[in-house]
Amino acid sequence: MHAMKMKRIRDIALLSCAALTLAVAAGTARAQTVVRPGFNIFSVQQDVEIGKQSAIQAEKQLPMLNDATAQRYVSALGAKLAARAPGPKYNYQFKVANLSDVNAFALPGGFIYVHRGLLDKVRTEGELAGVMSHEIAHVALRHPTNQASKAYLAQAGLGVLGGLLGAKTQSSTGQIIGAIGGFGLNTLFLKFSRSAESQADIVGSQIMAKAGYDPIEMAHFFTYLGQLSGSSQSNVASFLSSHPSSSDREARVRQEASLLGPVRATAYVGNLRNVQTQLRRLTPAPTTAQLAGNTTTQPVNTNTSGLSIEQPSTSYRVFQQSDGGFQIEQPSNWNAYVPNGGYGVTIVPNGGFETTSSGQQRISYGVIVNHYVPFDGSIGTSFMDPNGSLFGSAPLEESTSDLVRHIEKTNPYLKPVSGSEQRTSLSGQQSLAVQMAGRSPETGVDERVTVVARELPDGHVVYMLLIAPRKDYAMLQPTFSRMVSSFRVSDQTVHN
């Protein structure tokens, strides 16, 4: 009996220990910070599509490292970390860019790039795992397309006039991304808010812990970068620029590490010191700034015309509006963006969109075609602008005045140039052309817009906006003239 009693006591003790272990484990799981990402107008599959196209373009712009040892090491570490990532099960891919900056970045859908400079500066595999886990977290939380979603829905100014806004189901992936800066190294995919960076730090810490790396190593690396930034190590500036630092960032990682509790360490995937020794035998890599300044590589753009964008092609193709409302010729190397169900089109060259200091996307080069209802439709039998017409009392002059005022309202710095109005022809009918000009307070660039308006039988106006910085406008004038002269509109089309 005594022996049986002792056995029951031991069994109860073991069960109690097991229950305690489960309780601690469950408590740890509950303790970790829950992160919920923001809204997204894209699907997970669209993330992958955007990432693939962006990666193709990025690798045309970036020098990629051709070193099998470093690539195998980064891929192995990345796979180990990505296996613990929350969210969609992307096919994560990891590559090394031959740049000396201490940095890394992620594109939508799981495409992650580590700079050679980061490999050179990290002191442990855990520190490298910290940076890579942070980037994986951005992808897992879908931060790149969350940024793109916000920018797209906040589209304003000339972009609205171009009909670029539409419902999620009404625009293709390419149209949306093109409207906010295009694929490739889009700044919307590379720079995040302080909140998003904090989310990536937290989820990155969780990924590290699950993969067997102490999140404290991420905090150590933040401290180390701060020390380097105070010295002559200018190659950390890129990381600090694209990953904004704050006084409490390291403390937040330490807090998350304490919530996660002790980490069960696992074996390293490779020998970091051997990789670093191998890389230091290679020719020094350029910095991102040198690459941007074309001081170590050949310019991607071979244009010699003096334009800030690629020279418009001398070959043209016809854009046909889906309902047969109009057609126009466009340079073969320019892109057309159209919302489903919409009348207008925005035709821009590569690089024709720009990001302002407030994060909005604007059209800096291109042609917009759309229709407009003067005076909010309250035309009646006569065209009378209650504010007084800028150009005259004829119906075309009154309606063009209202259109110009609408453009000025959405872009207050653009003002009609006094005396610039000129009678011309658009698609075989009399039209009125007006110059607008002004310096953008966001970019500091002097912009010029030519408004060409023509009446339609239903009382609407069809218009073209010819847009370029003042310094480049004259060089694009032949292209604009060709597009205006090629424009053909159907007067029978019914407009919404």
Side-chain angles (χ1 to χ4, degrees):
M1 290 292 292
H2 180 72
M4 292 179 64
K5 183 176 181 180
M6 291 300 295
K7 182 178 184 299
R8 284 198 299 271
I9 292 173
R10 285 197 303 270
D11 289 344
I12 292 171
L14 289 172
L15 288 171
S16 298
C17 288
L20 179 60
T21 300
L22 289 173
V24 170
T28 301
R30 286 194 300 269
Q32 76 174 28
T33 304
V34 175
V35 173
R36 295 182 177 87
F39 80 96
N40 210 305
I41 65 173
F42 298 94
S43 68
V44 169
Q45 185 54 45
Q46 283 177 308
D47 274 22
V48 176
E49 176 189 346
I50 294 166
K52 283 181 178 178
Q53 295 196 46
S54 295
I56 291 170
Q57 293 192 26
E59 290 178 30
K60 290 179 181 179
Q61 302 173 49
L62 298 177
M64 304 307 295
L65 182 67
N66 184 23
D67 184 89
T69 301
Q71 182 58 56
R72 280 195 301 268
Y73 177 64
V74 168
S75 294
L77 178 56
K80 180 179 179 180
L81 297 168
R84 278 77 176 179
K89 299 304 177 185
Y90 297 114
N91 179 25
Y92 284 88
Q93 299 180 37
F94 302 86
K95 295 185 179 181
V96 183
N98 192 28
L99 292 166
S100 64
D101 307 89
V102 179
N103 210 350
F105 66 90
L107 296 174
F111 298 84
I112 294 176
Y113 294 82
V114 173
H115 286 201
R116 174 179 160 187
L118 176 63
L119 290 175
D120 182 60
K121 281 292 184 290
V122 290
R123 299 166 297 181
T124 66
E125 184 170 293
E127 289 186 346
L128 179 60
V131 177
M132 293 177 66
S133 294
H134 176 97
E135 298 303 329
I136 291 171
H138 277 312
V139 174
L141 295 169
R142 305 184 66 208
H143 283 159
T145 46
N146 166 251
Q147 292 274 97
S149 298
K150 290 186 290 186
Y152 183 64
L153 295 182
Q155 191 73 254
L158 294 176
V160 172
L161 290 174
L164 291 177
L165 290 179
K168 177 180 178 180
T169 58
Q170 293 181 328
S171 298
S172 72
T173 306
Q175 289 169 348
I176 297 173
I177 293 298
I180 55 175
F183 299 97
L185 297 176
N186 191 331
T187 56
L188 289 170
F189 302 154
L190 304 179
K191 299 188 77 170
F192 302 107
S193 67
R194 190 174 299 280
S195 174
E197 292 292 350
S198 181
Q199 288 182 357
D201 286 343
I202 292 168
V203 174
S205 298
Q206 296 167 2
I207 292 171
M208 288 182 72
K210 291 175 184 176
Y213 296 96
D214 190 342
I216 291 297
E217 296 214 58
M218 183 193 291
H220 288 166
F221 191 61
F222 289 154
T223 302
Y224 179 48
L225 285 180
Q227 294 168 351
L228 291 179
S229 67
S231 66
S232 59
Q233 302 287 343
S234 60
N235 55 5
V236 306
S238 179
F239 186 93
L240 296 176
S241 172
S242 58
H243 300 78
S245 186
S246 66
S247 59
D248 61 352
R249 191 172 178 195
E250 179 187 347
R252 187 61 186 85
V253 171
R254 290 183 180 276
Q255 179 186 350
E256 192 64 24
S258 68
L259 294 175
L260 294 168
V263 174
R264 180 177 295 179
T266 58
Y268 287 163
V269 301
N271 191 315
L272 175 62
R273 292 290 172 262
N274 286 349
V275 173
Q276 291 174 328
T277 299
Q278 170 69 14
L279 293 180
R280 288 163 188 168
R281 294 191 183 109
L282 303 178
T283 303
T287 66
T288 303
Q290 288 173 329
L291 188 69
N294 294 316
T295 59
T296 60
T297 59
Q298 291 298 314
V300 174
N301 181 9
T302 56
N303 167 43
T304 58
S305 67
L307 277 172
S308 301
I309 56 169
E310 181 182 7
Q311 177 75 7
S313 174
T314 56
S315 64
Y316 285 72
R317 63 175 183 267
V318 175
F319 171 84
Q320 178 74 51
Q321 200 266 345
S322 59
D323 295 329
F326 64 86
Q327 68 177 41
I328 186 173
E329 293 182 2
Q330 67 181 80
S332 59
N333 60 343
W334 286 26
N335 306 300
Y337 301 101
V338 189
N340 267 350
Y343 179 86
V345 63
T346 300
I347 302 173
V348 297
N350 294 325
F353 294 100
E354 64 185 2
T355 305
T356 67
S357 59
S358 62
Q360 287 189 327
Q361 301 296 309
R362 294 183 51 82
I363 300 167
S364 52
Y365 296 85
V367 173
I368 289 173
V369 180
N370 213 336
H371 82 287
Y372 178 72
V373 183
F375 314 111
D376 294 325
S378 57
I379 299 173
T381 57
S382 63
F383 293 81
M384 294 296 294
D385 188 339
N387 297 312
S389 174
L390 297 170
F391 310 118
S393 58
L396 176 60
E397 293 167 340
E398 291 270 7
S399 56
T400 302
S401 171
D402 186 61
L403 171 60
V404 166
R405 282 202 168 100
H406 181 70
I407 295 172
E408 186 178 0
K409 183 178 179 180
T410 56
N411 303 268
Y413 65 91
L414 286 176
K415 304 295 182 184
V417 177
S418 179
S420 66
E421 58 269 25
Q422 180 180 358
R423 294 279 177 173
T424 183
S425 177
L426 187 65
S427 188
Q429 296 293 328
Q430 189 178 74
S431 64
L432 185 63
V434 178
Q435 300 289 333
M436 300 186 73
R439 175 168 294 180
S440 168
E442 291 281 358
T443 64
V445 174
D446 289 325
E447 297 180 1
R448 181 174 172 184
V449 178
T450 298
V451 183
V452 185
R454 174 192 183 276
E455 290 181 283
L456 295 170
D458 60 5
H460 295 193
V461 170
V462 63
Y463 66 85
M464 298 180 68
L465 304 182
L466 317 175
I467 305 162
R470 183 179 61 82
K471 64 184 180 62
D472 289 339
Y473 198 95
M475 287 178 281
L476 287 174
Q477 185 64 61
T479 300
F480 288 155
S481 296
R482 168 76 178 263
M483 296 178 74
V484 170
S485 64
S486 73
F487 182 75
R488 297 292 181 269
V489 64
S490 169
D491 286 337
Q492 283 73 48
T493 298
V494 176
H495 308 107
N496 296 323

